[in-house]
Amino acid sequence: MTFPDLTADLAARMPELRGRLLANQKLAPFTWFRVGGPAQLLFTPADEDDLGYFLARLPADIPVTVVGLGSNLIVRDGGVAGVVVRLARGFSDIEVEEGHRLRVGAAVPDVKLARAAADAGIAGLAFYRGIPGGIGGALRMNAGAHHGETKDRLVEARAFDRQGRLHVLSNADFGFSYRHSGAAGDLIFTRALFQGEPGETADILAEMDRITAAREASQPIREKTGGSTFKNPPGQKAWQLVDAAGCRGLVRGGAQVSRMHCNFLINTGSATAADIEELGEEVRRRVKSASGITLEWEIKRIGVPAPAAAA
């Protein structure tokens, strides 16, 4: 699918734009599933000022979607209309501050935050070693693993709204709950400040090694996957419900429920986004039938189906 090219019009509106603006850019290479259609426009801002400038001058009728490292994401086969914002190098800084704090850009991978904290002798952030994503996504969904959550360590974050206005949000402003942030959906997070505690680098690295070993032993991390597919219902484990419904190894096209950990869907090599999403919906149907519980997607799904699939 090819969208109308809006780059010339936007370039005329934004003569001082410094970031990259590309029309009909493939998004599949940016996702861990390696599937999905193009972005009508893919914008990679140079820095915070460039992002604010762009948003302030973008026509209000053009939708904006943000993607991070693509680890917890399905881009549908028809692609994403409007602008897809992807933060990169200008948002990858990590600064150690007094009081065992780290200030990091939203494009920083979670694992790099964990390693930077360890190198600085800051404990309490090692759990990020077990989260396959970036800081922006962690803020949006209160990412957590191994007995830690983003809400436990976040002090504040910076973000731009759809009109290009800068906001500084405290932890309380997020309204965090399980795998959810109550922050306004149009906010694009750019930087965050985290609070740790004194620790020994060797001890923190040992904890990170334990987390790595646990993940490698129980999760299909070397496959084309999107991480945990469904949220754990209260008092339940999603994978146990999926397993009890007979879905371990279930196949739809080129997509499969992982045999190693059945709350993971994998692209076996030829899957479309539709294969993966339809497989997830079939799992939800079977779990509902077997247990009466409706699983909620943890993976974010964006875009539109391919034209043939929509017909």
Side-chain angles (χ1 to χ4, degrees):
M1 180 172 179
T2 301
F3 294 101
D5 187 346
L6 304 177
T7 52
D9 177 62
L10 293 187
R13 291 172 177 267
M14 308 172 186
E16 298 177 23
L17 194 68
R18 293 175 287 116
R20 296 184 67 192
L21 188 62
L22 302 174
N24 287 293
Q25 183 71 18
K26 293 180 180 179
L27 292 177
F30 299 131
T31 73
W32 287 30
F33 275 123
R34 296 294 189 268
V35 298
Q40 182 172 12
L41 293 168
L42 179 65
F43 177 53
T44 307
D47 50 32
E48 278 192 342
D49 289 342
D50 198 45
L51 175 60
Y53 174 83
F54 174 81
L55 292 171
R57 288 158 181 78
L58 184 69
D61 61 340
I62 297 179
V64 175
T65 304
V66 183
V67 301
L69 299 186
S71 61
N72 196 241
L73 181 69
I74 295 173
V75 176
R76 295 186 175 109
D77 298 305
V80 184
V83 174
V84 172
V85 176
R86 186 172 186 267
L87 306 185
R89 184 175 301 175
F91 302 83
S92 297
D93 54 303
I94 301 177
E95 301 174 10
V96 178
E97 298 189 357
E98 292 183 0
H100 307 99
R101 290 181 166 189
L102 284 175
R103 193 177 298 274
V104 301
V108 171
D110 297 328
V111 62
K112 287 192 174 182
L113 168 61
R115 181 63 200 228
D119 290 343
I122 298 175
L125 297 165
F127 70 90
Y128 277 111
R129 177 61 185 86
I131 303 175
I135 297 304
L139 296 172
R140 177 55 67 189
M141 64 174 293
N142 186 25
H146 300 275
H147 310 294
E149 288 185 295
T150 298
K151 70 177 180 61
D152 301 329
R153 294 297 175 179
L154 180 69
V155 177
E156 64 180 28
R158 292 165 64 89
F160 284 90
D161 64 22
R162 178 61 177 76
Q163 289 72 44
R165 297 173 298 212
L166 179 63
H167 301 260
V168 179
L169 288 75
S170 69
N171 186 304
D173 292 330
F174 277 83
F176 284 125
S177 58
Y178 173 65
R179 299 298 174 266
H180 175 75
S181 159
D186 70 340
L187 291 176
I188 301 176
F189 303 115
T190 57
R191 281 179 174 77
L193 179 64
F194 293 91
Q195 178 68 61
E197 56 197 38
E200 295 294 329
T201 295
D203 294 338
I204 300 168
L205 290 175
E207 182 180 358
M208 289 170 58
D209 287 343
R210 288 193 294 272
I211 291 171
T212 300
R215 289 188 66 224
E216 291 181 347
S218 63
Q219 299 177 7
I221 60 175
R222 303 191 188 282
E223 304 280 0
K224 295 175 183 176
T225 184
S228 294
T229 305
F230 305 109
K231 299 178 182 180
N232 288 326
Q236 303 274 355
K237 295 291 187 182
W239 77 264
Q240 292 176 341
L241 294 167
V242 174
D243 204 13
C247 296
R248 186 182 293 268
L250 186 66
V251 172
R252 174 65 62 93
Q256 183 179 36
V257 177
S258 171
R259 294 187 180 278
M260 174 181 264
H261 191 312
C262 52
N263 195 27
F264 283 64
L265 305 183
I266 59 176
N267 175 1
T268 62
S270 61
T272 62
D275 289 341
I276 297 169
E277 188 170 11
E278 289 168 9
L279 177 60
E281 289 298 329
E282 177 62 21
V283 169
R284 294 178 74 233
R285 284 191 290 270
R286 295 192 183 195
V287 169
K288 176 67 172 179
S289 177
S291 67
I293 295 173
T294 300
L295 291 177
E296 294 183 24
W297 283 89
E298 183 170 319
I299 288 176
K300 184 177 181 182
R301 296 160 293 154
I302 62 173
V304 297

